[in-house]
């Protein structure tokens, strides 16, 4: 089992940047595919980005392609989400997730382990 703790959220103006981090417990972090999801008030949780255990494979939602970058440092048991050119519609609670699998999933059901989330608010 793995425990996940997110950090790095906050309030930023449109066009600004934030870097989210997700620290994981355990000694087999590189065996987990990792994903970032977000949930805005009144909306369902949606996929943002995912990365394979080695970091060699990534996937992004169309809404964030070219603006967000997911990466990981397996020596630090941490996955990151660099968010640039932020828009008000990016406002949500961002949650990281983990799955013991080679290829990262883009669905909520693909991840059994979840963090508590960090709030990102983008003002116009």
């Amino acid at each position: 089992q793995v425990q996940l703790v997110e950090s790095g959220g906050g309030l930023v103006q449109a066009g600004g940047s934030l870097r989210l981090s997700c620290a994981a417990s355990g000694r087999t972090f590189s065996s987990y595919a990792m994903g970032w999801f977000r949930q805005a008030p009144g909306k369902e949780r949606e996929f943002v980005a995912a990365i394979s255990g080695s970091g060699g494979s990534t996937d992004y939602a169309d809404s964030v392609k070219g603006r967000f970058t997911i990466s990981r440092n397996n020596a630090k048991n941490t996955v990151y989400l660099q968010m640039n050119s932020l828009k008000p519609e990016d406002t949500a609670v961002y949650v990281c997730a983990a799955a013991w699998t080679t290829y990262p999933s883009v669905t909520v059901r693909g991840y059994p382990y979840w963090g508590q989330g960090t709030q990102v608010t983008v003002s116009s």
Side-chain angles (χ1 to χ4, degrees), residues 2-124:
V2 61
Q3 294 182 327
L4 306 171
V5 179
E6 302 92 337
S7 62
L11 173 64
V12 64
Q13 288 187 333
S17 298
L18 280 175
R19 188 196 197 200
L20 306 183
S21 299
C22 174
S25 64
R27 295 176 290 180
T28 57
F29 180 67
S30 61
S31 297
Y32 287 87
M34 301 295 296
W36 283 99
F37 290 76
R38 66 187 182 187
Q39 189 164 16
K43 294 188 177 181
E44 293 187 353
R45 186 167 292 187
E46 65 173 3
F47 170 74
V48 175
I51 189 167
S52 61
S54 67
S57 177
T58 58
D59 204 352
Y60 296 91
D62 288 343
S63 60
V64 306
K65 279 181 182 176
R67 301 188 298 123
F68 291 10
T69 302
I70 189 170
S71 62
R72 65 191 297 159
N73 184 329
N74 286 343
K76 294 185 177 181
N77 279 21
T78 302
V79 62
Y80 306 97
L81 185 68
Q82 178 67 44
M83 305 186 295
N84 298 328
S85 302
L86 283 161
K87 305 174 181 180
E89 52 262 45
D90 294 319
T91 295
V93 174
Y94 283 71
V95 188
C96 73
W100 184 283
T101 183
T102 299
Y103 194 77
S105 173
V106 300
T107 67
V108 171
R109 289 185 175 183
Y111 294 89
Y113 306 111
W114 294 84
Q116 293 299 310
T118 184
Q119 176 71 46
V120 171
T121 303
V122 184
S123 63
S124 58

